Amino acid sequence: MATNYVTIGAGGSATVADVDANVYGLGNATLKAGNGADSVNILGNGSVSIGTGADTIRIGGNGTIAVSTASTAPDLVTVVGSGKVTLGGGANQVQMGSGSVQVGNGANNISVTGAASVAIGAGNNNVVIGSGTVGAASSSSSSRDKTAVAAGGSGNNHVTVLGAGNVNLGNGANTVLAGSGNVTVGNGANTVTITGAGKVTFGTGADSVSIGGSGTVAGSTASTAADQVTVAGTAGVTLGGGANQVSIGSGTVSTGNGSDSIAVAGVASVKSGNGNDSISVGSGTVSLGTGNDRVTMTGSGSIAAGSGSDAITLGTGNNTVSATGSTTVTASSGTSATIASGSVQVLNNGSVQTDKVVSGTVTILGGSGAVRFVGGTSTTTASLKGGTGNDTFVGGAGKDTMVAGSGSNLFEFFKSTQTGTYGGGAGGTHVIQGYTSASGSLYVEGYSLAQLQTMGAIKVTGGNTVITLADKTSITLVGVTNVNSLNVTTTPI
C-alpha cells in the first residue's frame, strides 16, 4: 500500500482514507484517518480520530486521541501536555503529561508523569502515573469506554502511582506500588506496597500487603489463602481463614480460623479465630478462639483465652487473663499460673508482683522474685505455691491451698476484702502446707496467738492445727501439732 504524505497548516484539519499516511501538523490540527498504518506528528494541540491500523501518534501540546475500539494493532501514542486517549485492544504504548487513558484488552504500557485517570482491560498492563486513578471504566462511562475495558483489569498488572492514588483491579496477580491512597484488587495473588498512608481491600488470593504509614487492610473473610500484611503505623486489619502473617505498629487485628502469626509493637486489639495462633503485642486486649495459642504481652492489658491449651507470657505490666480451657500463664518474675476455667490478675506495682485469683480454678507457681498470692471469691478454688523468693499468701473467700516456698513466707487472713492489691476476703477454707515457724508467719486480722488460744479458735486434730474463726474462716496447717510454735504477727504487709 502506498504511503500518503499530508501536511496540515496551523489551525487546519484533514481527512485521510484507509491508506498508510504520514501526517505532519504545523501547529494546532485536527485529523481523521482510516484503517491504515499512520504516522502522525502534530506540533501544537491536536485532535486525532483514527482506525484499526498500527499507528504512531505524537501531539506536542494538549490533545485528544481516539482509536477504533475494534483495533487489535499496537499503537504508539505520545501527548506532551494534557491528553485524553482512547485505544483499542492492541499492545499499545502511551506516554502523556497528564490526563485520561482508556485501553482495551491488550498488554499495554502506559506512562503519565502527572495526574491521570487510567482505565484498563483484561491484558497484562504496565501502568506508571504521577497521581490519580487506575482501574475499570465507571458505570457512568460511555458505551465506547465500557467496551474498551469490559474485563475491568483482570490481567496480571503492574501499577505504580508515584503520589496519591486510587487503584481498582480485577482477579489477576497484580503488583501495585503507590505513594498513598486506596487499592482494591480481586481474587488473585497480589502484591501491594503503599509507602505512605493507605487502604487496601483484596479478595481470596494469597496477598502480600505493606503500608509504610497508617492504614486499613481488609481481606475477604471467605479466604483460606495465607496473606502477609505489614503496616508500620496504626492499622485496622481484617483477614480470612488462611495461615496469615501480620505485623503492625498498633491498632486492631481480626483473623479467621487459620494458624496466624500476629505481631503488634504498640497498643493492640486482637481477635483471632480457632486456629493455633502465635500473637505478640505491646499492650491492649487479645481475644482467642478454640485453638492452642501462644500469646506474649509485654505491657498492660487483658487476654481472653479460649477453650484450647493456651500459653501466655506476660511482661512487667498489669494484666488480666481469663480462660475457658487449660491456659498456662508465665509472668516476668518467673511465676506461672494454670487456669482450668477462670481468670487471674497479674499486677506489677512496685518491687512485689501480685498474682490474684479472680474466678474459677487456678494454680499459681511462684518464681525467684517476691510474689503476693491473693485468693479469690467464694466460688474460686486456688492452689498457690511459693517459689524461692519472699512470698505473701492472702486468703480469699473461696478454697485455697497454700504451699510455702523456700524463702520467707507470710500467710495473711483478713476479715473483709481489702482495697488495692491486698484483696482477700473472709469465710474461706484454707490449707497451708510446708509451714515452719522458722520461715513462716501468720497474720489473722484482729487476733494475736494468745487471743486465738483464749477464745478456743485453735485445735490440733488428725496431726494438723486448725484455726476456726467466727466468720467461718478455716485455716489448716498441715503437719503442725505444736500450737505454741506458731509465729503469729499482728502487723500485715
Side-chain angles (χ1 to χ4, degrees):
M1 181 181 292
T3 300
N4 291 280
Y5 293 87
V6 178
T7 300
I8 305 174
S13 63
T15 299
V16 178
D18 294 339
V19 295
D20 296 342
N22 192 327
V23 181
Y24 187 75
L26 297 177
N28 300 335
T30 300
L31 172 67
K32 182 177 181 181
N35 296 326
D38 302 308
S39 177
V40 179
N41 186 359
I42 298 176
L43 298 181
N45 300 329
S47 175
V48 177
S49 177
I50 212 159
T52 59
D55 304 303
T56 299
I57 304 169
R58 184 184 187 280
I59 297 178
N62 303 324
T64 300
I65 298 173
V67 175
S68 170
T69 57
S71 174
T72 58
D75 297 311
L76 175 60
V77 173
T78 301
V79 180
V80 176
S82 177
K84 179 180 180 181
V85 176
T86 304
L87 302 176
N92 305 293
Q93 295 189 48
V94 179
Q95 290 186 326
M96 196 162 64
S98 61
S100 65
V101 179
Q102 295 178 358
V103 293
N105 294 329
N108 301 281
N109 280 287
I110 301 170
S111 176
V112 184
T113 55
S117 173
V118 178
I120 55 179
N124 301 327
N125 301 285
N126 184 24
V127 180
V128 180
I129 65 174
S131 61
T133 62
V134 178
S138 67
S139 59
S140 61
S141 301
S142 69
S143 59
R144 171 184 173 84
D145 296 336
K146 285 187 283 187
T147 300
V149 292
S154 59
N156 301 325
N157 302 288
H158 287 256
V159 176
T160 300
V161 183
L162 301 178
N166 292 305
V167 179
N168 191 334
L169 302 176
N171 293 328
N174 302 289
T175 300
V176 180
L177 172 63
S180 61
N182 302 324
V183 176
T184 300
V185 290
N187 296 327
N190 303 284
T191 300
V192 179
T193 302
I194 300 177
T195 57
K199 177 180 179 181
V200 179
T201 304
F202 53 86
T204 58
D207 301 293
S208 176
V209 177
S210 175
I211 299 178
S214 299
T216 302
V217 178
S220 170
T221 56
S223 175
T224 57
D227 300 311
Q228 294 185 347
V229 175
T230 301
V231 182
T234 301
V237 178
T238 303
L239 300 176
N244 304 296
Q245 295 187 43
V246 180
S247 176
I248 66 174
S250 61
T252 62
V253 179
S254 177
T255 61
N257 294 329
S259 295
D260 304 304
S261 176
I262 301 170
V264 184
V267 181
S269 174
V270 177
K271 182 178 181 181
S272 67
N274 296 327
N276 301 325
D277 302 307
S278 176
I279 299 171
S280 174
V281 301
S283 60
T285 61
V286 176
S287 177
L288 304 175
T290 60
N292 302 324
D293 304 304
R294 301 291 179 265
V295 179
T296 299
M297 181 176 287
T298 57
S300 299
S302 63
I303 300 172
S307 58
S309 297
D310 301 315
I312 296 171
T313 302
L314 302 177
T316 57
N318 297 327
N319 307 100
T320 299
V321 179
S322 61
T324 57
S326 177
T327 297
T328 300
V329 180
T330 303
S332 60
S333 66
T335 64
S336 64
T338 300
I339 308 171
S341 181
S343 61
V344 297
Q345 283 185 324
V346 179
L347 309 173
N348 288 281
N349 295 318
S351 60
V352 179
Q353 176 182 293
T354 298
D355 290 0
K356 186 175 183 179
V357 180
V358 178
S359 65
T361 301
V362 178
T363 298
I364 303 177
L365 305 178
S368 60
V371 179
R372 187 177 187 85
F373 301 92
V374 180
T377 64
S378 60
T379 60
T380 61
T381 300
S383 178
L384 312 173
K385 300 179 180 181
T388 59
N390 298 328
D391 299 319
T392 301
F393 299 82
V394 180
K399 297 178 180 180
D400 304 321
T401 298
M402 305 173 179
V403 181
S406 60
S408 297
N409 301 280
L410 172 61
F411 302 90
E412 297 181 328
F413 305 92
F414 296 95
K415 293 181 179 180
S416 60
T417 301
Q418 305 298 295
T419 58
T421 61
Y422 277 76
T429 301
H430 314 288
V431 176
I432 301 174
Q433 298 177 352
Y435 174 86
T436 65
S437 58
S439 61
S441 57
L442 298 174
Y443 171 78
V444 182
E445 186 180 17
Y447 303 101
S448 64
L449 175 60
Q451 289 172 319
L452 291 171
Q453 290 174 314
T454 299
M455 61 188 290
I458 301 180
K459 294 182 179 181
V460 177
T461 177
N464 305 316
T465 295
V466 180
I467 302 173
T468 305
L469 305 178
D471 61 9
K472 298 183 179 181
T473 296
S474 172
I475 307 167
T476 300
L477 292 93
V478 177
V480 177
T481 57
N482 185 358
V483 173
N484 292 325
S485 69
L486 294 178
N487 183 8
V488 179
T489 179
T490 57
T491 304
I493 294 180

